[in-house]
Amino acid sequence: MKYCSNCSATVVLMIPEGDSLPRYVCSTCNIIHYQNPKMVVGCIPEWEDKILLCKRAIEPRKGWWTLPAGFMENNETLAQAAARETLEEANARVEIGDLYAVYSLPHISQVYFIFRAKLLDLDFKPGIESLEVKLVSEQEMPWEEMAFRVIHDPLKHYFKERNQGKFGLHVDVINKVQNTP
Ligand SMILES: [Zn+2]
């Protein structure tokens, strides 16, 4: 950050009095511009024994497979964000179910929330950020072509637990060197 979004003056990186971390502070109006982690919200859309995957049309990892997921917007709930992202990326309507995974990615200051969801119909098609969307069974999973560990790992838990007949909640951390398969 170079300029204050409040008054357009330059900002300086400094530790405000009583604080412990460097913040961007406006040199003129003195506003402190706090920066906090972003939330990424998505779901595992289920249809019979299959789930819906999206092939990424955008970098990073263009051409690799992922779940419908994206940045949460202001003024929406987690479930609304998951359903909206699924509609945007796969033109698919879902009923959001239980929260399944919460993964922290501290190196990029993101937190992922992944829900299980019921796909409501088969009238889906790629949105602008997807090259292809398709239903895959466990046997058809492109494990070697998953875009990110943060998607790959919850899906590994998902199929294992589905076979066991009981789903848990997975809270975990993925560090920098781990985030690509
Ligand atoms: Zn300012």
Side-chain angles (χ1 to χ4, degrees), residues 56-64 147-148:
R56 291 174 62 84
I58 51 171
E59 297 291 353
R61 298 253 147 193
K62 184 178 175 182
W64 294 61
F148 307 110

Side-chain angles (χ1 to χ4, degrees), residues 49-99:
D49 70 333
K50 299 189 173 186
I51 65 165
L52 193 70
L53 294 182
C54 302
K55 184 179 262 192
R56 291 174 62 84
I58 51 171
E59 297 291 353
R61 298 253 147 193
K62 184 178 175 182
W64 294 61
W65 292 96
T66 189
L67 290 169
F71 291 114
M72 190 174 183
E73 299 286 0
N74 291 340
N75 307 124
E76 68 183 353
T77 66
L78 284 173
Q80 286 168 345
R84 177 184 52 74
E85 288 291 341
T86 308
L87 190 61
E88 288 177 6
E89 297 185 1
N91 288 290
R93 284 141 299 279
V94 289
E95 182 183 307
I96 299 296
D98 291 338
L99 182 61

Side-chain angles (χ1 to χ4, degrees), residues 4 6-7 26 29:
C4 176
N6 185 51
C7 77
C26 179
C29 77

Side-chain angles (χ1 to χ4, degrees), residues 105 107-108 147-151 174-181:
L105 286 70
H107 64 292
I108 48 173
F148 307 110
R149 275 281 304 275
V150 70
I151 301 297
I174 289 179
N175 290 302
K176 183 183 174 102
V177 293
Q178 299 177 305
N179 196 31
T180 48

Side-chain angles (χ1 to χ4, degrees), residues 30-64:
N30 295 318
I31 277 189
I32 303 171
H33 297 278
Y34 292 99
Q35 295 182 317
N36 300 99
K38 286 196 170 6
M39 289 180 273
V40 181
V41 190
C43 71
I44 306 172
E46 303 166 323
W47 181 273
E48 296 173 351
D49 70 333
K50 299 189 173 186
I51 65 165
L52 193 70
L53 294 182
C54 302
K55 184 179 262 192
R56 291 174 62 84
I58 51 171
E59 297 291 353
R61 298 253 147 193
K62 184 178 175 182
W64 294 61

Side-chain angles (χ1 to χ4, degrees), residues 146-165:
M146 297 304 295
F148 307 110
R149 275 281 304 275
V150 70
I151 301 297
H152 172 280
D153 288 10
L155 286 175
K156 280 284 181 184
H157 291 303
Y158 171 83
F159 284 110
K160 183 179 171 199
E161 291 187 338
R162 197 181 71 175
N163 293 333
Q164 294 168 344

